[in-house]
Amino acid sequence: VHGYLKRANEELCVLVQIETREALDRLESIAAVDGVDGVFIGPSDLAASLGHIGDMQHATGQAALQDGARRLAAVGKPAGILTVNEDEACRYIAWGYSFIAVGSDLGILATGADTLVRKFKSQEKLQKLAR
């Protein structure tokens, strides 16, 4: 980015992440902290904190996610969330989430590694050398 070092401070976006019941209970005060531009709600960790580890679709967690988006809209802060499921992404957008992470660093890394392994395993020359 041309002129990055001179412009970096103007380009920064500060997002905080909500992953526990306690943080969700304090959502508005966290969002109101000076310099916070938006709030990302972590659905998996929040579900675990609500007592539903491994079940992000549990009704309690889904209600909390919907309520979080509504509360953030009420205080004028963008809400973000993670999902790799297209139907969920559409639902979250309908609830008011304005930025959706559609992949994770671990998922992207694993997919890239799998692709690389398949590429090298499929090359005939490498297969002959391995014999």
Side-chain angles (χ1 to χ4, degrees), residues 20-78:
T20 65
R21 178 189 306 269
E22 294 78 15
L24 191 61
D25 290 345
R26 296 172 179 82
L27 184 61
E28 289 85 356
S29 61
I30 292 169
V33 170
D34 188 41
V36 170
D37 297 307
V39 178
F40 186 92
I41 299 179
S44 182
D45 290 328
L46 181 60
S49 177
L50 294 172
H52 306 289
I53 192 164
D55 185 6
M56 294 187 313
Q57 299 306 316
H58 191 278
T60 302
Q62 290 296 299
L65 294 174
Q66 187 173 16
D67 183 58
R70 181 194 55 76
R71 290 165 57 200
L72 287 167
V75 297
K77 292 289 175 151

Side-chain angles (χ1 to χ4, degrees), residues 13 18 23 42 48 71 83 114 129:
C13 175
I18 302 296
R71 290 165 57 200
T83 184
D114 288 345
L129 289 173

